[in-house]
Amino acid sequence: MANTYTTQQGETWDLIALREMGSEKYMSQLIEANYVHRETVIFSAGIDLVIPQITTPIPTTLPPWKR
């Protein structure tokens, strides 16, 4: 289930991803979930964004007892 987040003046995609999703590496997933705002670099206040749920893949290189 996805959450929502309301931006504050001056925030950027990577900052929101870090604060809300735990790492800036999820920035592309955040942009994909909010495609309408994809061209925004610095947000103004009051924009509602969808924070997608992160799924961490299970590595297939681990032995079965560690999966």
Side-chain angles (χ1 to χ4, degrees):
M1 181 175 191
N3 293 323
T4 59
Y5 176 76
T6 304
T7 61
Q8 297 176 20
Q9 180 69 34
E11 289 185 314
T12 57
W13 289 108
D14 57 338
L15 182 62
I16 296 168
L18 178 62
R19 286 184 184 163
E20 296 299 312
M21 302 170 78
S23 176
E24 63 274 357
K25 70 179 183 179
Y26 298 119
M27 184 177 80
S28 60
Q29 292 174 340
L30 181 61
I31 293 171
E32 191 174 304
N34 297 282
Y35 198 72
V36 176
H37 302 288
R38 70 188 178 278
E39 294 181 8
T40 303
V41 177
I42 300 175
F43 285 96
S44 56
I47 297 173
D48 291 326
L49 298 177
V50 174
I51 305 297
Q53 189 172 26
I54 301 169
T55 56
T56 50
I58 298 172
T60 57
T61 56
L62 292 174
W65 63 86
K66 288 191 174 184
R67 290 185 198 168

